[in-house]
Amino acid sequence: MTSSPAFPRVHIATDHAGMELSAHLVQHLSAKGYEVVDHGPKAYDAQDDYPSFCINAALAVVADQQAGVHALGIVLGGSGNGEQIAANKVKGVRAALAWNHSTAVLAREHNDANVVAVGGRQHTVAEATGLIEAFLAEPFSNDERHVRRIGKIAAYESTGEVIE
């Protein structure tokens, strides 16, 4: 299955705390028609270093988007905080931590977030799945004020200039 506007390619990464949720999401989203690319880890290691997994997933989202492929990312951890921070270090990524339905939807609708972070220890599998599905399904509003604000963030990311 290849990505389409209805079903973006999904890049997913986790740390050891999110492995069970990640395995569930890979299977669940694939069954729904998403093309899911798993960036690891492949085996449980309580001492793993999640940044490389999350950065690789974020890099893949940006590369796909630059190539014209509709793609989004998911990074998972115990809280999702460190994973969100790691993903946000990749130029072109807007990773948002979703902790309820509203934050998942608004991340896409207002911020055009291209990566969602979820804490696997903060939600049941069903709750986390709902957050992910809400994020993936929500389009960006393209409202002028949101486009303008995202442009200012991108300008700072590229130039270091703060635009008023």
Short mmCIF file of all heavy atoms in Angstrom, two decimals, residues 108-132:
data_model
loop_
_atom_site.label_atom_id
_atom_site.label_comp_id
_atom_site.label_asym_id
_atom_site.label_seq_id
_atom_site.Cartn_x
_atom_site.Cartn_y
_atom_site.Cartn_z
N ARG A 108 -2.75 19.35 14.39
CA ARG A 108 -2.83 19.33 12.92
C ARG A 108 -3.57 20.55 12.39
O ARG A 108 -3.10 21.22 11.48
CB ARG A 108 -3.55 18.06 12.45
CG ARG A 108 -2.78 16.79 12.69
CD ARG A 108 -1.66 16.55 11.68
NE ARG A 108 -2.15 16.62 10.33
CZ ARG A 108 -1.57 17.33 9.36
NH1 ARG A 108 -0.47 18.00 9.59
NH2 ARG A 108 -2.09 17.35 8.15
N GLU A 109 -4.74 20.83 12.95
CA GLU A 109 -5.62 21.87 12.42
C GLU A 109 -4.98 23.25 12.48
O GLU A 109 -5.05 24.01 11.51
CB GLU A 109 -6.93 21.88 13.20
CG GLU A 109 -7.94 22.90 12.69
CD GLU A 109 -9.20 22.95 13.52
OE1 GLU A 109 -9.31 22.21 14.53
OE2 GLU A 109 -10.08 23.75 13.17
N HIS A 110 -4.35 23.60 13.58
CA HIS A 110 -3.80 24.95 13.76
C HIS A 110 -2.30 25.03 13.53
O HIS A 110 -1.81 26.07 13.11
CB HIS A 110 -4.08 25.46 15.18
CG HIS A 110 -5.52 25.80 15.40
ND1 HIS A 110 -5.94 26.41 16.56
CD2 HIS A 110 -6.63 25.62 14.65
CE1 HIS A 110 -7.24 26.60 16.50
NE2 HIS A 110 -7.69 26.12 15.35
N ASN A 111 -1.57 23.97 13.84
CA ASN A 111 -0.11 24.02 13.80
C ASN A 111 0.51 23.24 12.66
O ASN A 111 1.73 23.26 12.51
CB ASN A 111 0.47 23.54 15.13
CG ASN A 111 -0.11 24.29 16.31
OD1 ASN A 111 -0.83 23.71 17.11
ND2 ASN A 111 0.16 25.58 16.40
N ASP A 112 -0.29 22.55 11.89
CA ASP A 112 0.21 21.69 10.82
C ASP A 112 1.35 20.81 11.32
O ASP A 112 2.36 20.62 10.64
CB ASP A 112 0.64 22.52 9.60
CG ASP A 112 0.75 21.69 8.33
OD1 ASP A 112 0.20 20.56 8.29
OD2 ASP A 112 1.40 22.16 7.37
N ALA A 113 1.19 20.31 12.55
CA ALA A 113 2.21 19.42 13.10
C ALA A 113 2.35 18.22 12.18
O ALA A 113 1.37 17.69 11.66
CB ALA A 113 1.82 18.96 14.51
N ASN A 114 3.59 17.80 11.96
CA ASN A 114 3.82 16.65 11.09
C ASN A 114 4.29 15.42 11.87
O ASN A 114 4.50 14.37 11.28
CB ASN A 114 4.75 17.00 9.93
CG ASN A 114 6.03 17.66 10.36
OD1 ASN A 114 6.33 17.77 11.55
ND2 ASN A 114 6.80 18.13 9.38
N VAL A 115 4.46 15.58 13.17
CA VAL A 115 4.81 14.47 14.05
C VAL A 115 4.00 14.64 15.33
O VAL A 115 3.87 15.74 15.86
CB VAL A 115 6.32 14.45 14.38
CG1 VAL A 115 6.65 13.37 15.41
CG2 VAL A 115 7.16 14.25 13.12
N VAL A 116 3.45 13.53 15.82
CA VAL A 116 2.75 13.54 17.10
C VAL A 116 3.54 12.69 18.09
O VAL A 116 4.07 11.64 17.74
CB VAL A 116 1.29 13.03 16.96
CG1 VAL A 116 1.22 11.57 16.54
CG2 VAL A 116 0.50 13.29 18.24
N ALA A 117 3.64 13.19 19.31
CA ALA A 117 4.26 12.44 20.40
C ALA A 117 3.18 12.04 21.40
O ALA A 117 2.30 12.85 21.72
CB ALA A 117 5.32 13.30 21.10
N VAL A 118 3.25 10.80 21.85
CA VAL A 118 2.28 10.30 22.81
C VAL A 118 3.03 9.50 23.88
O VAL A 118 3.96 8.75 23.56
CB VAL A 118 1.21 9.41 22.14
CG1 VAL A 118 0.29 8.77 23.16
CG2 VAL A 118 0.40 10.22 21.13
N GLY A 119 2.63 9.69 25.12
CA GLY A 119 3.22 8.94 26.23
C GLY A 119 2.52 7.62 26.42
O GLY A 119 1.35 7.58 26.80
N GLY A 120 3.21 6.54 26.17
CA GLY A 120 2.63 5.21 26.29
C GLY A 120 2.25 4.85 27.72
O GLY A 120 1.36 4.03 27.93
N ARG A 121 2.91 5.46 28.70
CA ARG A 121 2.58 5.18 30.10
C ARG A 121 1.49 6.11 30.62
O ARG A 121 1.09 6.01 31.78
CB ARG A 121 3.83 5.30 30.97
CG ARG A 121 4.84 4.20 30.69
CD ARG A 121 6.06 4.34 31.56
NE ARG A 121 6.99 3.24 31.33
CZ ARG A 121 8.28 3.29 31.61
NH1 ARG A 121 8.81 4.39 32.15
NH2 ARG A 121 9.04 2.25 31.37
N GLN A 122 1.02 7.00 29.78
CA GLN A 122 0.03 7.99 30.20
C GLN A 122 -1.38 7.64 29.78
O GLN A 122 -2.34 8.27 30.22
CB GLN A 122 0.39 9.37 29.62
CG GLN A 122 1.84 9.79 29.81
CD GLN A 122 2.30 9.72 31.25
OE1 GLN A 122 1.63 10.25 32.14
NE2 GLN A 122 3.43 9.07 31.49
N HIS A 123 -1.52 6.66 28.88
CA HIS A 123 -2.81 6.34 28.29
C HIS A 123 -2.96 4.83 28.15
O HIS A 123 -1.97 4.11 28.00
CB HIS A 123 -2.94 6.95 26.88
CG HIS A 123 -2.63 8.40 26.83
ND1 HIS A 123 -3.52 9.37 27.21
CD2 HIS A 123 -1.50 9.06 26.46
CE1 HIS A 123 -2.97 10.56 27.07
NE2 HIS A 123 -1.75 10.40 26.62
N THR A 124 -4.19 4.38 28.10
CA THR A 124 -4.43 2.99 27.71
C THR A 124 -4.11 2.88 26.22
O THR A 124 -4.03 3.89 25.50
CB THR A 124 -5.90 2.59 27.94
OG1 THR A 124 -6.73 3.36 27.06
CG2 THR A 124 -6.32 2.80 29.40
N VAL A 125 -3.99 1.66 25.74
CA VAL A 125 -3.75 1.44 24.31
C VAL A 125 -4.91 2.03 23.50
O VAL A 125 -4.69 2.68 22.48
CB VAL A 125 -3.55 -0.05 24.00
CG1 VAL A 125 -3.53 -0.32 22.50
CG2 VAL A 125 -2.24 -0.54 24.63
N ALA A 126 -6.13 1.85 23.97
CA ALA A 126 -7.30 2.38 23.26
C ALA A 126 -7.27 3.90 23.22
O ALA A 126 -7.55 4.50 22.17
CB ALA A 126 -8.59 1.88 23.91
N GLU A 127 -6.94 4.54 24.33
CA GLU A 127 -6.86 6.01 24.35
C GLU A 127 -5.78 6.52 23.42
O GLU A 127 -6.01 7.44 22.64
CB GLU A 127 -6.57 6.51 25.77
CG GLU A 127 -7.70 6.34 26.75
CD GLU A 127 -7.27 6.59 28.19
OE1 GLU A 127 -6.05 6.64 28.50
OE2 GLU A 127 -8.18 6.71 29.03
N ALA A 128 -4.60 5.93 23.50
CA ALA A 128 -3.49 6.36 22.65
C ALA A 128 -3.83 6.15 21.18
O ALA A 128 -3.52 7.01 20.34
CB ALA A 128 -2.22 5.60 23.02
N THR A 129 -4.45 5.04 20.86
CA THR A 129 -4.85 4.77 19.47
C THR A 129 -5.81 5.84 18.99
O THR A 129 -5.70 6.34 17.86
CB THR A 129 -5.47 3.37 19.35
OG1 THR A 129 -4.51 2.40 19.80
CG2 THR A 129 -5.88 3.06 17.92
N GLY A 130 -6.75 6.23 19.83
CA GLY A 130 -7.69 7.29 19.48
C GLY A 130 -7.00 8.62 19.22
O GLY A 130 -7.36 9.35 18.28
N LEU A 131 -6.01 8.96 20.03
CA LEU A 131 -5.25 10.19 19.83
C LEU A 131 -4.52 10.17 18.49
O LEU A 131 -4.55 11.15 17.73
CB LEU A 131 -4.23 10.39 20.96
CG LEU A 131 -4.77 10.58 22.37
CD1 LEU A 131 -3.61 10.68 23.36
CD2 LEU A 131 -5.66 11.79 22.45
N ILE A 132 -3.88 9.05 18.20
CA ILE A 132 -3.13 8.90 16.96
C ILE A 132 -4.07 8.99 15.76
O ILE A 132 -3.79 9.69 14.78
CB ILE A 132 -2.36 7.56 16.93
CG1 ILE A 132 -1.36 7.47 18.08
CG2 ILE A 132 -1.72 7.32 15.58
CD1 ILE A 132 -0.24 8.44 18.07
#
